[in-house]
Amino acid sequence: MPTRKPPPLRKDARRNRTALLTAAKAAFAEEGLNATLEGIARRAEVSIGTLYRHFPTRMDLVAVVIADKKRAWIKAAETAVAMESAWDGLAFFLERTCELQAGDLAFNDIASMRFPHAPGIEAARKRAYDLGGRIIERAQAEGSLRPDLTPADLAFIVWAQSRISEATHAIDPDAWRRYLAITLDGLRAKAAHPLAVTPLRPRQVMRAQLELGRRRLR
Amino acid sequence: MPTRKPPPLRKDARRNRTALLTAAKAAFAEEGLNATLEGIARRAEVSIGTLYRHFPTRMDLVAVVIADKKRAWIKAAETAVAMESAWDGLAFFLERTCELQAGDLAFNDIASMRFPHAPGIEAARKRAYDLGGRIIERAQAEGSLRPDLTPADLAFIVWAQSRISEATHAIDPDAWRRYLAITLDGLRAKAAHPLAVTPLRPRQVMRAQLELGRRRLR
DNA sequence: CGATAACGTGAGGGGGGCCTCGACTTAAAC
DNA sequence: GTTTAAGTCGAGGCCCCCCTCACGTTATCG
């Protein structure tokens, strides 16, 4: 590996770095990923220059703050694929994804693709997408999931949910569950009526992601 | 009525007003209701001062631009209440609402409550909400709609849809229909599984609206 | 206890949007 | 054609944010 181990940080530097991450985590969660960097520096009681020394770009900060949830997300997908009941796997995956974004506008922004170029997210997204495909296949093979659903549809369902948790996270952190339950009822094979509109092709889904990202961020 | 009829506009003033409205309509539709006023003035080839003379506040501009769609929205609700099949009425109302917001980020912002204080919208909202309640009641009486749905749920469904059309309007203007169809399948009485989470109370719904409005607008 | 590299700082330049206001221009009425 | 109220204009003040950099400070090591 070409990367050298970074030299140890000085004590004050370590303290400031921690303070910045704490402040950023809170600010991003409350205000979304476009929280102002100056505000984060103020919150951490550190000068703006120090913020930039530690995190030269906003993305560097985002990457660290997001890391945990990103891992949790992938793990949820892997767990879902391994569940005995494929339907339960699907429901678990959707619930867990929505749970991660509820009350955390940072992950909400990520899940809604408002930061399409967030670092390290690309890979996680691809992985989650692939796993999502397998979750769907299994549930369709099992006969519990409507046969016309595609992996891209999963993304749209999560995006749609993201607006609901965006609206309700401060009022009732569990409100989104109600609407996810309704959607799940619509996903069952027994409930399915034929869909008149075809799903977006993968290329189009990517463009839709970028479109969401264009909206008032960055 | 205490309002006098306004004096006729000068010819150049009328021309500029029209240009401003045209520009604003386009800008709001493309960029959402927080499109920059300076940009709208540029687009109309008019100075920023002129914009402010005609429309002292952003809301004055929004009110005029939105008016048509607002009426169309109420009309859709009234038509829906009068339809023979209550289920068709519900589907029609939801479809029409989503249709109005698809491809028009201005109405999308309105429907998503991102401008909670938009002028004249308050009344329209109340009317639509009331009509929505009657649409639901009829469909539940008919036995076609799941009995646990409330008027507030309708709002959340539309908000959720708004994110989908936000993402897809430029790629496939009809993509949202696919997800609305899935949601409708979840709304049928036959598809319903009991909902574990209770709906938000009216007071909470209002707070959720304001919450959405807080997000990066104004 | 120096010496020094790492670190912290905040003023300042650049950008952009909001909104105001006084000087200028023009349509319209006589 | 003159008058004048209505209308237009855009510079400029305000605010907030992004990001850089030269200078002062501090931890760490010999």
Side-chain angles (χ1 to χ4, degrees):
Chain A
M1 56 176 82
T3 61
R4 305 285 195 84
K5 97 157 54 165
L9 285 177
R10 240 168 61 174
K11 187 171 56 171
D12 54 348
R14 218 165 43 236
R15 188 174 43 73
N16 284 340
R17 194 188 142 88
T18 307
L20 278 168
L21 282 176
T22 306
K25 194 158 198 160
F28 284 152
E30 288 168 21
E31 304 164 40
L33 287 183
N34 62 353
T36 70
L37 298 181
E38 308 227 332
I40 290 173
R42 271 194 301 275
R43 196 164 182 152
E45 294 181 306
V46 139
S47 91
I48 181 67
T50 298
L51 184 151
Y52 276 96
R53 166 175 284 276
H54 285 279
F55 306 98
T57 81
R58 171 181 231 99
M59 286 312 179
D60 295 318
L61 200 43
V62 169
V64 180
V65 168
I66 281 299
D68 286 353
K69 291 222 160 182
K70 199 181 68 184
R71 271 191 294 273
W73 189 35
I74 298 304
K75 192 173 167 200
E78 287 165 348
T79 304
V81 173
M83 287 173 79
E84 332 78 80
S85 154
W87 174 263
D88 288 351
L90 174 67
F92 174 79
F93 178 53
L94 284 175
E95 263 180 56
R96 198 76 189 86
T97 303
C98 292
E99 210 167 72
L100 285 170
Q101 77 178 353
D104 182 346
L105 293 188
F107 195 79
N108 188 311
D109 280 341
I110 291 290
S112 309
M113 299 293 168
R114 273 190 292 243
F115 259 62
H117 304 303
I121 284 295
E122 212 54 46
R125 193 131 60 212
K126 175 121 182 44
R127 180 100 177 98
Y129 197 89
D130 290 347
L131 289 170
R134 291 180 40 204
I135 291 169
I136 287 180
E137 277 172 26
R138 287 182 67 223
Q140 284 169 340
E142 184 186 78
S144 52
L145 174 63
R146 59 190 306 159
D148 45 12
L149 203 82
T150 73
D153 293 333
L154 242 44
F156 285 93
I157 289 169
V158 171
W159 294 351
Q161 285 294 130
S162 79
R163 170 139 301 154
I164 292 177
S165 50
E166 190 181 330
T168 58
H169 74 95
I171 289 97
D172 178 351
D174 280 330
W176 59 268
R177 292 181 193 276
R178 181 173 173 87
Y179 303 96
L180 183 55
I182 292 176
T183 301
L184 283 172
D185 278 350
L187 292 183
R188 288 177 221 274
K190 289 185 333 199
H193 288 61
L195 295 174
V197 182
T198 58
L200 261 52
R201 281 166 285 119
R203 187 88 187 73
Q204 291 177 304
V205 175
M206 287 190 54
R207 286 179 54 209
Q209 293 176 2
L210 294 178
E211 192 64 25
L212 265 184
R214 231 173 41 75
R215 282 278 273 173
R216 58 181 121 281
L217 277 185
R218 277 271 47 198
Chain B
M1 57 176 82
T3 62
R4 304 284 195 84
K5 95 157 56 165
L9 285 177
R10 239 167 62 172
K11 187 171 55 171
D12 53 349
R14 217 164 44 236
R15 187 174 43 73
N16 285 340
R17 193 187 143 87
T18 307
L20 278 169
L21 283 176
T22 306
K25 194 157 199 161
F28 285 152
E30 290 168 19
E31 304 163 41
L33 288 183
N34 62 352
T36 71
L37 298 180
E38 308 229 337
I40 290 173
R42 270 194 300 275
R43 196 166 183 151
E45 294 181 305
V46 141
S47 91
I48 181 68
T50 299
L51 183 151
Y52 275 96
R53 163 170 282 272
H54 286 278
F55 305 99
T57 81
R58 172 183 229 96
M59 287 311 180
D60 295 319
L61 199 44
V62 169
V64 180
V65 168
I66 280 299
D68 286 354
K69 291 221 160 183
K70 198 182 66 182
R71 272 191 294 273
W73 188 35
I74 298 304
K75 193 174 166 199
E78 286 165 349
T79 304
V81 173
M83 286 172 79
E84 332 78 80
S85 154
W87 174 263
D88 288 351
L90 174 68
F92 174 80
F93 178 54
L94 283 175
E95 261 180 57
R96 198 76 189 88
T97 303
C98 292
E99 208 166 75
L100 285 169
Q101 76 178 353
D104 182 346
L105 293 187
F107 195 80
N108 187 311
D109 280 341
I110 291 291
S112 308
M113 298 293 168
R114 274 190 292 242
F115 259 62
H117 303 303
I121 284 294
E122 211 54 44
R125 192 131 60 212
K126 175 121 182 43
R127 180 101 178 97
Y129 196 90
D130 289 348
L131 289 170
R134 291 182 38 206
I135 291 169
I136 286 180
E137 278 172 27
R138 288 182 66 222
Q140 284 169 341
E142 184 186 78
S144 52
L145 175 63
R146 58 190 307 156
D148 45 13
L149 204 81
T150 74
D153 293 334
L154 242 43
F156 285 93
I157 288 168
V158 172
W159 295 351
Q161 284 294 130
S162 78
R163 170 138 301 153
I164 291 177
S165 51
E166 189 181 331
T168 58
H169 74 95
I171 289 97
D172 178 351
D174 280 330
W176 58 269
R177 293 182 193 276
R178 181 173 173 87
Y179 303 97
L180 182 55
I182 292 176
T183 300
L184 282 171
D185 278 350
L187 293 182
R188 286 177 222 274
K190 289 186 330 198
H193 288 60
L195 295 174
V197 183
T198 58
L200 261 53
R201 281 166 286 119
R203 187 87 187 74
Q204 292 177 304
V205 175
M206 287 189 55
R207 285 179 54 210
Q209 292 176 3
L210 293 178
E211 193 63 27
L212 265 185
R214 231 175 38 77
R215 281 278 274 174
R216 59 182 119 283
L217 277 185
R218 278 270 49 195

